[in-house]
Amino acid sequence: QVQVVESGGGLVQPGGSLRLSCQASGSISSIYVMGWYRQAPGKQRELVAGITNGGNTEYVDSVKGRFTISRDNAKNSVYLQMNSLKPEDTAVYYCSIATMSGDYWGQGTQVTVSS
């Protein structure tokens, strides 16, 4: 069984920063891609950023230049550094990992950007 746990969400003022962390544990086969998704109230879940096991990254246009995704393969962990946060970044952020045995999701962590 695989567990995926996110941490690091919270309330931050516009222009502030947060760093999300995600760690996978359990019977994990090779992890190909690790990613962060978000879902705001009334909206569909969207991919925010993804990173391959080779370090290639992609970002949704709305966060380019503000968010940075990174991973530590030895720790089965992925991180999302979020800077210059905007109210429209408010959402539940989910970590997802794609492995040889399937895709796994965390429970989500709330990020609220508000003054």
Side-chain angles (χ1 to χ4, degrees):
Q1 192 170 357
V2 176
Q3 296 81 41
V4 178
V5 180
E6 306 102 333
S7 62
L11 172 64
V12 64
Q13 292 186 342
S17 298
L18 282 176
R19 185 174 187 254
L20 304 183
S21 299
C22 169
Q23 184 168 32
S25 60
S27 302
I28 301 173
S29 54
S30 298
I31 299 177
Y32 300 133
V33 180
M34 304 183 84
W36 289 96
Y37 291 72
R38 67 186 178 187
Q39 187 166 20
K43 295 188 177 182
Q44 290 188 333
R45 189 174 297 189
E46 67 170 351
L47 174 66
V48 177
I51 184 167
T52 68
N53 53 5
N56 294 319
T57 60
E58 68 171 311
Y59 299 91
V60 67
D61 285 346
S62 61
V63 308
K64 286 180 180 177
R66 299 189 297 123
F67 290 11
T68 302
I69 189 170
S70 61
R71 66 189 279 175
D72 184 334
N73 292 329
K75 296 181 179 180
N76 291 329
S77 295
V78 62
Y79 310 97
L80 187 67
Q81 178 65 42
M82 306 185 294
N83 299 327
S84 302
L85 282 160
K86 304 176 181 180
E88 51 264 42
D89 295 316
T90 295
V92 178
Y93 284 70
Y94 298 90
C95 174
S96 175
I97 64 170
T99 76
M100 186 184 303
S101 60
D103 296 347
Y104 300 91
W105 293 81
Q107 294 291 326
T109 184
Q110 177 70 47
V111 172
T112 302
V113 184
S114 175
S115 55

